[in-house]
Amino acid sequence: MKKYPKMDKHMKKLRVGVIGIGKIGLSHLKAIKAIEPLGYAELVAICTHDPEKAKTLCATYEIPGCYTLSQEMLKHKNLDLVHNCTLNAMHYEINKSVLERGLHILSEKPLTVDSQQSSTLVALAHANNRKTAVNFVCRFYPVIQHIKELIEKGTLGKIYSIHGTYLQDWLLFEHDYDWRVESRYGGTSRALADIGSHWIDMAEFLLGRQVERVAADFATFLPMRKCSPTETITVDTEDFASLLMRFEGGIHGCLTASQVSAGRKSGLTFEIDGSIASLQWSQEHPESASLTHRDEPENIVDETGNIFPAKEKEESKIAGNPEEGGLPEQARPTLSRQEIFLEAQQRMIDNFYRSILFSEPPLYADFLQGHHIVHIIEAAIESNRAARWVDIDR
């Protein structure tokens, strides 16, 4: 993460609040606390419905404002910016309230559950001249930034297609329950809106092209789920989504999103095929990507942007393996996938803050992009219903 000099003590800093402290909200909280030492942002309030959890978090992280009602938190006179980490169905009302208070807003995805809501938010943000962001964090893996540069430089040649997956298994069994499986909480789409939206945003970011048409196929393999030992609910969202896409410029795309793929925890992958070379990346090995040509050995693109033969990486592993007679490799400590994800989350939030304070060019997705993704999800829902290609509304 780029580090700016600490701000002068008399200069304004962003005073930040977080609404919703579940798993994702907690990652936002930790990222904000990691940014605080730079001097231009401070976490001053959180809101979660559980009063004991709120008190514990405020005490643990030394947060002065502790709330259980979002409208009460929004009355906090010292707020500049809010992170909305609530249930999907709550995004619209909270985002709208934040913007009406004249505050900047970072919202979890999907931005809203329908495009009428997202259109209203885009107009409101424009009218109030507020900065907005949607938490499509995958853009901020270092390797992803370098892949975008390679595409822009023409290293892959003319882009033909992008294809890949986002696979998880946390909803594999009928006793696996989460609020997202019910449309009243998560919206009409689940697998595509919840995880597929990350893939679509990253594809558009890398290609610099938007999706124009889609053809979708959804499946709900578990139509009934146990939400408690004594209660079963009817599932009205998809476990699986397959999506064909046509991007601007004639680029073809294909995505499979599933939350019932056994053994897959964070299976976001993609391959971009060009007239000169192809490039492959997986979130399960986020520190590097594979660059391949027709008649040349495989190359590796690492998180610093260096490109080197894949065999050097394998030789390096063997050299550092005592069982193979090698010496331990002297390199920076290997980070877990979760640690690398949290670093990406921190970069995303930091870029948003610096775009507000220092006019740094935004690399994050704003509400206009979030609105576009909502249109894609709606088009996919319609395509699955009507069994035909559907154009994306503009």
Side-chain angles (χ1 to χ4, degrees):
M1 184 180 74
K2 185 176 180 180
K3 292 188 177 181
Y4 280 70
K6 289 188 177 182
M7 294 172 64
D8 183 273
K9 65 180 180 179
H10 300 297
M11 191 177 295
K12 176 181 172 62
K13 67 170 65 174
L14 289 173
R15 294 159 299 187
V16 181
V18 179
I19 301 175
I21 312 290
K23 181 179 178 182
I24 295 299
L26 189 58
S27 73
H28 282 243
L29 185 157
K30 291 178 178 178
I32 298 165
K33 296 301 290 186
I35 292 168
E36 275 189 347
L38 299 178
Y40 46 78
E42 179 183 7
L43 183 58
V44 299
I46 63 168
C47 176
T48 182
H49 62 83
D50 183 338
E52 291 304 315
K53 181 179 183 180
K55 291 177 183 177
T56 299
L57 287 170
C58 284
T60 302
Y61 291 97
E62 299 180 338
I63 304 165
C66 184
Y67 299 89
T68 56
L69 296 174
S70 61
Q71 292 302 323
E72 289 299 314
M73 194 191 90
L74 293 180
K75 293 177 183 177
H76 197 296
K77 294 181 179 179
N78 294 322
L79 279 176
D80 300 303
L81 183 152
V82 171
H83 292 231
N84 181 4
C85 304
T86 59
L87 309 186
N88 297 356
M90 299 172 66
H91 288 178
Y92 172 68
E93 290 297 339
I94 291 176
N95 289 339
K96 182 171 178 286
S97 295
V98 171
L99 289 169
E100 287 173 342
R101 293 282 298 178
L103 308 177
H104 305 290
I105 176 73
L106 191 162
S107 177
E108 269 301 326
K109 50 75 200 165
L111 177 56
T112 58
V113 297
D114 67 58
S115 58
Q116 184 175 352
Q117 292 179 346
S118 56
S119 176
T120 298
L121 294 180
V122 170
L124 187 57
H126 179 74
N128 290 349
N129 194 29
R130 296 296 86 184
K131 293 279 190 179
T132 63
V134 181
N135 196 42
F136 288 123
V137 68
C138 294
R139 295 181 177 208
F140 287 83
Y141 284 100
V143 172
I144 297 301
Q145 303 284 332
H146 295 306
I147 291 171
K148 183 173 179 62
E149 292 172 0
L150 291 175
I151 293 170
E152 290 174 346
K153 289 194 300 184
T155 301
L156 305 187
K158 179 183 178 181
I159 303 301
Y160 294 148
S161 65
I162 180 167
H163 44 95
T165 65
Y166 203 148
L167 309 178
Q168 299 176 332
D169 71 356
W170 67 296
L171 292 172
L172 178 61
F173 303 121
E174 67 172 12
H175 59 264
D176 294 327
Y177 174 80
D178 181 82
W179 57 264
R180 292 170 177 83
V181 306
E182 298 189 64
S183 63
R184 58 177 173 162
Y185 300 127
T188 305
S189 171
R190 174 173 29 105
L192 184 62
D194 187 40
I195 56 177
S197 59
H198 274 297
W199 193 98
I200 295 168
D201 175 75
M202 188 162 62
E204 291 192 332
F205 173 70
L206 289 172
L207 300 176
R209 306 289 180 89
Q210 289 193 325
V211 176
E212 293 185 319
R213 306 184 74 207
V214 298
D217 178 44
F218 290 1
T220 303
F221 299 116
L222 297 169
M224 307 293 291
R225 287 183 183 268
K226 296 182 182 296
C227 58
S228 74
T230 59
E231 185 179 1
T232 300
I233 59 105
T234 299
V235 176
D236 57 357
T237 58
E238 81 278 4
D239 296 316
F240 169 97
S242 184
L243 192 66
L244 293 175
M245 290 162 279
R246 298 278 178 85
F247 292 80
E248 294 170 322
I251 299 172
H252 290 242
C254 180
L255 165 66
T256 297
S258 168
Q259 293 175 318
V260 292
S261 296
R264 306 307 295 269
K265 307 306 176 186
S266 188
L268 191 158
T269 67
F270 65 78
E271 177 167 342
I272 301 173
D273 295 330
S275 60
I276 297 174
S278 294
L279 199 147
Q280 307 87 35
W281 182 80
S282 168
Q283 193 177 19
E284 294 184 340
H285 303 283
E287 71 283 353
S288 63
S290 173
L291 179 64
T292 54
H293 296 75
R294 176 168 169 170
D295 296 316
E296 298 176 20
E298 177 189 6
N299 284 316
I300 298 297
V301 183
D302 71 14
E303 58 187 0
T304 67
N306 290 327
I307 300 175
F308 55 89
K311 66 178 182 179
E312 290 185 9
K313 185 175 182 179
E314 294 304 314
E315 290 169 355
S316 162
K317 288 180 181 178
I318 294 174
N321 186 349
E323 294 182 2
E324 299 290 339
L327 297 174
E329 186 178 7
Q330 300 299 314
R332 80 180 182 103
T334 301
L335 299 179
S336 68
R337 290 199 302 269
Q338 182 61 20
E339 289 171 326
I340 295 173
F341 173 82
L342 289 175
E343 282 192 349
Q345 179 70 86
Q346 185 178 337
R347 291 187 191 96
M348 186 269 154
I349 293 171
D350 195 57
N351 179 227
F352 183 48
Y353 291 0
R354 295 201 312 262
S355 75
I356 296 169
L357 291 168
F358 310 123
S359 299
E360 178 173 298
L363 297 174
Y364 56 82
D366 62 10
F367 275 18
L368 186 60
Q369 171 67 359
H371 172 55
H372 169 66
I373 296 291
V374 172
H375 270 307
I376 294 174
I377 294 166
E378 287 184 332
I381 293 169
E382 171 61 19
S383 172
N384 175 68
R385 185 195 65 79
R388 63 178 177 84
W389 282 90
V390 174
D391 293 334
I392 308 303
D393 287 338
R394 297 287 181 173

